[in-house]
Amino acid sequence: MTYVVTESCIKCKYTDCVDVCPVDCFREGPNFLVIDPDECIDCTLCVAECPVEAIFAEDDVPTDQREFIELNAELAKVWQPIIEKKDGPADADEWKDKKGKLQYLER
């Protein structure tokens, strides 16, 4: 089983999770992070660090977010690794509680 970043991360992209990942499995896009399922070791450390609760075990991804399992795998193949925490977007706090953000995902 792997962990999956879901919709809550879009336009927030807090990177607290990156700092605790022992295997550097996060990949960075313009306004979203994903987890490379081939690198994730299921350590669970990232889950508690995510301030928007965007990370779930694959088996626990909410039904309305299941498409993010495939999306993480797909984008992890083309996005670059991120291994250090960065400042989030200036407007991240404005987006953190919004729903229906998939349309804003930048590839």
Side-chain angles (χ1 to χ4, degrees):
M1 179 174 53
T2 188
Y3 281 76
V4 177
V5 181
T6 60
E7 185 176 53
S8 295
C9 182
I10 296 172
K11 293 187 81 65
C12 289
K13 200 172 90 169
Y14 296 107
T15 56
D16 304 61
C17 53
V18 172
D19 262 353
V20 298
C21 182
V23 294
D24 300 332
C25 69
F26 283 89
R27 304 294 181 259
E28 180 182 27
N31 68 349
F32 186 56
L33 298 175
V34 297
I35 293 174
D36 184 335
D38 295 330
E39 298 292 327
C40 181
I41 59 169
D42 310 327
C43 71
T44 76
L45 295 173
C46 59
V47 176
E49 293 301 313
C50 181
V52 294
E53 300 177 356
I55 304 171
F56 294 88
E58 184 175 353
D59 291 344
D60 296 332
V61 172
T63 304
D64 66 338
Q65 302 283 301
R66 303 288 297 165
E67 65 193 296
F68 282 88
I69 297 169
E70 186 176 316
L71 192 60
N72 273 240
E74 172 192 332
L75 296 175
K77 292 178 181 164
V78 294
W79 286 354
Q80 296 299 307
I82 176 173
I83 58 172
E84 293 181 342
K85 182 179 177 180
K86 297 179 180 180
D87 290 336
D91 62 348
D93 286 342
E94 296 171 32
W95 286 95
K96 69 180 184 178
D97 296 321
K98 294 191 186 288
K99 303 292 182 206
K101 298 191 290 184
L102 184 56
Q103 64 184 329
Y104 301 109
L105 176 64
E106 296 175 32
R107 293 174 180 251

